[in-house]
Amino acid sequence: MPVTVKQIAELAGVSRGTVDRALNGRGNVRPEVEKRILQIAEEMGYTPNRAGKALAYQRKNLSFGIVANAHGNEFFDDLLKGAQTAADEYSDFGLSLKIAGGRRYDVTQQLQQLSDFQAAGVSGIAISPINLPEVERKINELVAAGIKVITVNSDIENTGRLCYVGCNYYQSGITAGGMLRLMRPEGVRAGIVTGSIRMLGHNRRMKGFSDAVKQLPDSAIADVCESLDEQEVAYEETRKMLMAHPEINTLYFAAAGAVGGMQAAVDLGLQGLTVISCDDTQEIRRLVRAGLIQATVCQEPFRQGYRAVQILFDAVVNNIPPAEEFCYMDNIIRIQENL
Amino acid sequence: MPVTVKQIAELAGVSRGTVDRALNGRGNVRPEVEKRILQIAEEMGYTPNRAGKALAYQRKNLSFGIVANAHGNEFFDDLLKGAQTAADEYSDFGLSLKIAGGRRYDVTQQLQQLSDFQAAGVSGIAISPINLPEVERKINELVAAGIKVITVNSDIENTGRLCYVGCNYYQSGITAGGMLRLMRPEGVRAGIVTGSIRMLGHNRRMKGFSDAVKQLPDSAIADVCESLDEQEVAYEETRKMLMAHPEINTLYFAAAGAVGGMQAAVDLGLQGLTVISCDDTQEIRRLVRAGLIQATVCQEPFRQGYRAVQILFDAVVNNIPPAEEFCYMDNIIRIQENL
DNA sequence: TTGTAAGCGTTATCAT
DNA sequence: ATGATAACGCTTACAA
């Protein structure tokens, strides 16, 4: 049978209130008493009962905020669904999840959302941060105010964020390269379509991909272009790249843009291209089913949101910090047959 | 704010006890009162509070049993780890998990274990059943006695088991074939090493694989042999098969046996074989790293155990039956780069 | 500094 | 058939 506060209290010859104060460092306990209580708890292997805690927490107003600036984006919708699912599993603690969506890459908006969350009294925040000093500072301000912050999907340095939950971008690129190792043994001439060279994640993917391709016999990166996550731009840039490099036999989409890019390839009448993309949005699925994309490397957006809330909860409610600073999702290879 | 029994009681003008009886069909409630209570609960969208329930459940002696006859088997160890993890997450309900391991394919043992669980008063059982009529009957007996039963990893027909949680074997085979579509465009001559033709799962995998290979241009299944899940047998049978069919350019391991089988291929000095296996045990990982296996299709054993316990819990405690009769795990493709 | 008691939501027992 | 009450483990406001 698990140990309870009551039992510890009896053994220590004090009241449950005192035990509670000692165990949770609320102060107002004589040091020697505190020491004794902690020791007993330790010896008996005390772990708080989740249900008791939950019931007591209902009178607080526990809430987390999540900042994912990309409304309507299928990827972030999945991530938010995961976060909401986890939050629902803690509903007996009275936990509510506040969601901040809105335009992407809008720093003013993001800073405002963070301030709003703080004003609303959230205890934890998960954010997909814009990688700028202002955001860095704001996050540190929140952390200093006692709010637990973690990053999801994108990371940001020099902050007191507890951990990063998201894609292992480098390995994602490596994995894409690995598929080419298996599919293009005669050698790879790769064209890369990235999102933006200003995006850390995209760059890490490219680095992983390049490193992997360099290992392959008779292989090289032919060229790189940017889609800026827009299909029209992807179309034009991919078209230019393919025309300038007729030796390209492989395309790697390190971000959004596969729809536009593949349209360019089709319009140019190119056959036999090997194409690897990232993620599995509806549009990507369609291209995989159509046989235009051979494989796509996915990053479990649902689980990212789910884990983010779980980790916040453990940190805030159970005072258990994340096991690792980088909580990476699996890089899932999907082909037509297991889409 | 969520609705509570207390609120419903006030609205219905009865006591909490009566509401409890009505909501949980415990009888001894005047039909008209019961109807009124149920209606109010429905209207207000009542869902029981998990924490309250947990606290109350602590006085019962809730337990589940899991029958996975394969002690020391890495795959089943992962599955059990998943089951235990889920059970721990319900520890505030006082849930304990009883594990029955032991020898594989021993019907007498399995029947005994089921009886023992019943005698011990478990409310739910997850079992990886031996596919025989005796087991079928025993399961139906347990179900008739009010015990919720689900199957994990292997299924059995004609029983009242709530659902099956495990690998989608057919799709696993299809996915393996899909990898060949990408890796062997010039045509496949496949040798299949299955476990036993008496194992349903292995057969489904083979069927999926064959169906996929038949779709490929200039491709065929050259031969099939059985490893009986033993490396020595796998060595001999694979060796015979490879010698009898020099045209084989591809091996598919639909079950255990890759270590022995690949040793045979190495000893025969065969080069350039494309090899696909299932699962990711240590030994498989080693072979993938060594470049002898190009890809392995995995079935998330941890999650199988985890989901199994979750589903049992929902059925037993929340009276929520599984959403689907077949709860399939993902078929995860692993190659050297994302192992 | 420490103890007491009430409260969170559900369930079970006992009395009516 | 129904109501009252206590119990589960934890937190906290208040009293001592």
Side-chain angles (χ1 to χ4, degrees):
Chain A
M1 291 299 100
V3 195
T4 69
V5 169
K6 196 177 167 190
Q7 292 171 350
I8 298 177
E10 281 166 12
L11 274 166
V14 296
S15 75
R16 292 170 19 229
T18 305
V19 174
D20 177 64
R21 283 187 284 270
L23 289 177
N24 298 291
R26 300 189 214 281
N28 286 331
V29 182
R30 231 173 49 232
E32 48 196 282
V33 177
E34 170 150 349
K35 189 168 257 175
R36 184 153 44 97
I37 290 173
L38 290 176
Q39 198 191 334
I40 294 177
E42 168 75 12
E43 277 170 10
M44 307 196 59
Y46 171 76
T47 34
N49 177 287
R50 186 202 134 114
K53 231 174 163 161
L55 235 28
Y57 259 78
Q58 296 211 141
R59 330 173 73 181
K60 311 195 180 194
N61 230 318
L62 187 65
S63 66
F64 295 160
I66 182 164
V67 182
N69 302 133
H71 245 145
N73 174 310
E74 201 181 325
F75 178 90
F76 276 98
D77 283 353
D78 279 350
L79 192 149
L80 290 175
K81 237 175 273 173
Q84 188 62 59
T85 301
D88 290 345
E89 290 178 5
Y90 296 123
S91 64
D92 53 338
F93 282 78
L95 173 62
S96 67
L97 184 67
K98 299 174 195 297
I99 294 171
R103 297 174 305 283
R104 213 165 174 182
Y105 308 134
D106 181 334
V107 192
T108 320
Q109 170 193 256
Q110 185 159 91
L111 293 171
Q112 184 60 50
Q113 292 170 329
L114 288 173
S115 296
D116 290 348
F117 279 154
Q118 182 172 20
V122 303
S123 322
I125 292 177
I127 180 173
S128 184
I130 299 171
N131 190 25
L132 289 174
E134 302 95 287
V135 177
E136 211 173 286
R137 276 195 296 276
K138 186 73 196 172
I139 287 179
N140 282 328
E141 192 185 317
L142 297 169
V143 171
I147 298 176
K148 311 275 185 186
V149 178
I150 68 179
T151 51
V152 274
N153 194 252
S154 304
D155 202 7
I156 186 167
E157 293 185 316
N158 305 319
T159 62
R161 61 117 180 86
L162 280 174
C163 72
Y164 162 75
V165 178
C167 183
N168 184 338
Y169 288 101
Y170 184 77
Q171 201 216 17
S172 170
I174 288 272
T175 302
M179 283 302 284
L180 295 179
R181 174 175 62 80
L182 298 174
M183 293 164 64
R184 279 278 176 189
E186 76 282 10
V188 170
R189 290 288 174 280
I192 301 179
V193 184
T194 188
S196 159
I197 51 162
R198 290 167 52 204
M199 297 294 290
L200 257 61
H202 301 172
N203 290 343
R204 298 282 297 158
R205 275 206 186 115
M206 280 204 289
K207 182 68 165 56
F209 182 77
S210 304
D211 286 357
V213 166
K214 276 178 204 151
Q215 300 280 334
L216 303 180
D218 196 25
S219 297
I221 306 297
D223 204 355
V224 176
C225 69
E226 288 178 84
S227 74
L228 303 177
D229 285 350
E230 309 244 3
Q231 302 303 349
E232 297 76 16
V233 181
Y235 181 91
E236 276 311 322
E237 295 299 314
T238 307
R239 184 185 158 86
K240 271 191 252 171
M241 183 172 75
L242 287 171
M243 284 177 21
H245 297 276
E247 79 274 22
I248 286 180
N249 61 13
T250 296
L251 280 179
Y252 175 52
F253 291 93
V259 174
M262 288 316 294
Q263 190 59 51
V266 168
D267 288 356
L268 287 171
L270 293 179
Q271 303 279 340
L273 273 181
T274 302
V275 183
I276 315 275
S277 66
C278 291
D279 299 331
D280 55 344
T281 58
Q282 295 251 316
E283 285 172 336
I284 296 278
R285 282 167 193 269
R286 199 167 45 75
L287 290 167
V288 172
R289 287 208 192 88
L292 287 167
I293 292 178
Q294 276 69 49
T296 186
V297 179
C298 312
Q299 52 167 322
E300 309 196 281
F302 183 94
R303 256 192 79 213
Q304 289 185 28
Y306 189 89
R307 278 299 290 157
V309 169
Q310 270 194 336
I311 289 174
L312 274 183
F313 183 84
D314 274 336
V316 169
V317 175
N318 300 325
N319 211 21
I320 298 173
E324 282 144 329
E325 188 187 347
F326 298 95
C327 174
Y328 290 131
M329 298 297 110
D330 214 350
N331 279 300
I332 307 273
I333 299 169
R334 295 207 178 272
I335 62 179
Q336 232 176 65
E337 284 81 359
N338 74 338
L339 204 56
Chain B
M1 293 299 100
V3 195
T4 70
V5 169
K6 196 178 166 189
Q7 291 171 350
I8 298 178
E10 280 165 12
L11 274 166
V14 296
S15 75
R16 295 182 1 241
T18 305
V19 173
D20 177 62
R21 283 187 284 271
L23 289 178
N24 297 292
R26 299 190 215 280
N28 285 332
V29 181
R30 230 172 52 230
E32 47 196 287
V33 177
E34 170 151 348
K35 188 168 257 174
R36 185 152 44 95
I37 291 173
L38 290 176
Q39 196 190 337
I40 293 177
E42 167 76 10
E43 276 170 11
M44 306 194 62
Y46 170 76
T47 33
N49 177 288
R50 186 202 134 111
K53 234 176 161 156
L55 233 29
Y57 259 79
Q58 295 206 145
R59 334 175 70 184
K60 312 197 181 193
N61 231 319
L62 187 63
S63 67
F64 294 161
I66 181 163
V67 182
N69 301 134
H71 246 145
N73 173 310
E74 202 181 325
F75 179 89
F76 276 98
D77 283 353
D78 278 351
L79 191 148
L80 290 175
K81 237 177 273 173
Q84 189 61 60
T85 301
D88 290 344
E89 290 178 6
Y90 297 122
S91 64
D92 54 336
F93 283 79
L95 173 62
S96 67
L97 184 67
K98 300 174 195 299
I99 295 172
R103 296 174 306 281
R104 213 166 174 182
Y105 308 134
D106 181 335
V107 193
T108 319
Q109 169 192 255
Q110 186 160 88
L111 293 170
Q112 185 60 51
Q113 292 170 330
L114 288 172
S115 295
D116 290 349
F117 279 154
Q118 182 173 18
V122 303
S123 321
I125 292 178
I127 181 173
S128 184
I130 299 170
N131 190 25
L132 289 174
E134 303 94 287
V135 178
E136 211 173 285
R137 276 194 297 273
K138 186 73 197 172
I139 288 179
N140 282 328
E141 192 186 315
L142 296 169
V143 171
I147 299 177
K148 311 276 186 186
V149 178
I150 68 178
T151 52
V152 274
N153 194 253
S154 304
D155 203 5
I156 186 167
E157 293 186 314
N158 304 319
T159 62
R161 61 115 179 85
L162 280 173
C163 72
Y164 162 76
V165 178
C167 182
N168 185 338
Y169 289 100
Y170 185 78
Q171 201 216 17
S172 171
I174 287 272
T175 302
M179 284 302 283
L180 294 179
R181 175 176 59 81
L182 299 173
M183 293 164 65
R184 280 278 176 190
E186 75 282 11
V188 170
R189 288 288 174 281
I192 301 181
V193 184
T194 189
S196 160
I197 51 164
R198 290 167 52 203
M199 298 292 293
L200 257 63
H202 301 173
N203 289 345
R204 298 283 298 159
R205 274 204 187 116
M206 280 205 287
K207 182 69 163 59
F209 183 77
S210 304
D211 285 358
V213 166
K214 277 179 204 149
Q215 300 280 333
L216 303 180
D218 197 24
S219 297
I221 307 297
D223 204 354
V224 177
C225 68
E226 288 179 85
S227 74
L228 303 177
D229 284 351
E230 310 246 3
Q231 303 301 349
E232 297 75 17
V233 181
Y235 182 90
E236 276 311 321
E237 295 299 312
T238 308
R239 184 185 157 85
K240 272 191 253 171
M241 183 173 73
L242 287 171
M243 285 180 12
H245 296 276
E247 79 274 22
I248 287 180
N249 60 14
T250 296
L251 279 180
Y252 175 51
F253 291 93
V259 174
M262 288 315 294
Q263 191 58 51
V266 169
D267 288 356
L268 287 171
L270 293 178
Q271 304 279 339
L273 272 182
T274 302
V275 182
I276 314 277
S277 65
C278 291
D279 300 332
D280 55 345
T281 58
Q282 296 251 315
E283 287 172 335
I284 295 278
R285 282 166 194 269
R286 200 168 43 76
L287 290 168
V288 172
R289 287 208 192 88
L292 287 168
I293 291 177
Q294 276 69 51
T296 186
V297 180
C298 311
Q299 52 166 321
E300 308 196 283
F302 183 95
R303 256 191 81 214
Q304 288 184 28
Y306 189 90
R307 277 300 289 156
V309 170
Q310 271 194 336
I311 289 174
L312 274 183
F313 183 84
D314 273 338
V316 170
V317 176
N318 300 324
N319 210 20
I320 298 173
E324 281 144 330
E325 189 189 345
F326 297 94
C327 175
Y328 290 131
M329 297 297 109
D330 213 350
N331 279 300
I332 307 273
I333 298 169
R334 295 208 179 274
I335 61 178
Q336 230 175 68
E337 284 80 359
N338 74 338
L339 203 55

